[in-house]
Amino acid sequence: GARRHQRWRGIARRHGRLDQDQHVLAAVLADRAHRGAERRQVASKLTGRERDHLAILRNVLLDDLRRKEYDYWALGHIHQREVLCDRPFIAFSGNLQGRNVRETGAKGCLLVTVEDKGVQADFRPLDVVRWERLVCDLATVQTAAAAADRVRESLARMRSEHAPTPLAVRVELVGESPCHGELMASPSTWEAELRAIAMDAGGGDVW
């Protein structure tokens, strides 16, 4: 409310825009990017045709952002965290929670601190379950039992790296291996075996 507005007055100016027209974005930056009593400039943008906007950013708007003394441009819509530029700081924070196996890795937010000396952005994981892919090369594995052991070791290592966040893992077995025939003789049996290995290796926190 009014108290919060008073607290931030004189510290930062935030410009926000929800628009799918990339040319409107350029006009907004040109019209609104000016310093008053505020010391910092922050822009936010929820993109529609995201890759079109990125091309314009790199080719046209970057110099304008610097000339207008923007400090931080927060980008949205894309679920993958990515830093596009350090000065001014321009980044996608990604989404808060991976939705499927195509959205792997830690998900969360960027905690951005803007000061006279520059911009500091720290990632803060917020996902309650994490999607991952485990690719096991079986080229040197001789038996299906040895393949299961390799998967067990890899899952345990992955679990340790991401603890305490629960994991949903897609396991992919690749490579030309002598154990191929043994595995393919009963795929459903080995699928069930790998699921049991995941539950065991993750203490119930890996699926």
Side-chain angles (χ1 to χ4, degrees):
R3 183 176 299 177
R4 179 177 298 178
H5 176 75
Q6 181 68 29
R7 177 183 177 187
W8 288 101
R9 182 176 296 170
I11 297 177
R13 178 186 294 272
R14 178 188 179 276
H15 306 301
R17 186 73 184 186
L18 173 59
D19 205 295
Q20 292 197 9
D21 190 330
Q22 57 202 28
H23 305 295
V24 171
L25 173 60
V28 168
L29 292 176
D31 290 342
R32 296 188 182 179
H34 60 86
R35 288 180 185 266
E38 297 85 355
R39 295 184 298 136
R40 301 285 108 192
Q41 295 266 49
V42 177
S44 63
K45 172 66 182 177
L46 180 61
T47 62
R49 297 182 298 274
E50 56 271 10
R51 291 306 170 189
D52 291 341
H53 289 304
L54 295 186
I56 286 189
L57 167 64
R58 294 188 175 104
N59 297 331
V60 178
L61 298 181
L62 197 52
D63 288 341
D64 285 341
L65 288 168
R66 288 170 176 159
R67 186 171 60 255
K68 298 295 184 178
E69 297 183 292
Y70 271 90
D71 302 289
Y72 171 42
W73 192 8
L75 298 175
H77 185 66
I78 292 181
H79 290 189
Q80 181 63 40
R81 187 171 67 258
E82 181 180 3
V83 176
L84 303 180
C85 185
D86 291 323
R87 191 182 142 293
F89 185 74
I90 303 172
F92 290 99
S93 60
N95 56 347
L96 301 180
Q97 172 63 60
R99 302 178 304 172
N100 52 55
V101 75
R102 293 189 301 274
E103 298 181 351
T104 58
K107 300 293 183 178
C109 69
L110 291 176
L111 177 61
V112 179
T113 304
V114 183
E115 299 177 333
D116 288 337
K117 61 183 179 181
V119 175
Q120 175 67 38
D122 298 306
F123 175 69
R124 295 289 190 269
L126 297 174
D127 47 353
V128 296
V129 64
R130 190 165 299 163
W131 292 88
E132 284 293 344
R133 292 174 63 244
L134 174 62
V135 180
C136 285
D137 188 351
L138 303 183
T140 61
V141 175
Q142 300 299 312
T143 66
D149 288 340
R150 177 161 297 186
V151 171
R152 180 181 291 104
E153 294 169 1
S154 298
L155 284 173
R157 186 164 50 250
M158 179 178 284
R159 174 70 186 117
S160 177
E161 293 171 354
H162 292 277
T165 306
L167 299 177
V169 183
R170 171 174 289 177
V171 178
E172 300 178 18
L173 307 180
V174 302
E176 296 185 11
S177 172
C179 70
H180 177 267
E182 188 178 357
L183 291 172
M184 294 306 297
S186 182
S188 59
T189 298
W190 286 106
E191 181 178 343
E193 177 68 13
L194 293 180
R195 292 180 184 275
I197 288 172
M199 293 296 291
D200 181 63
D205 285 335
V206 177
W207 299 280

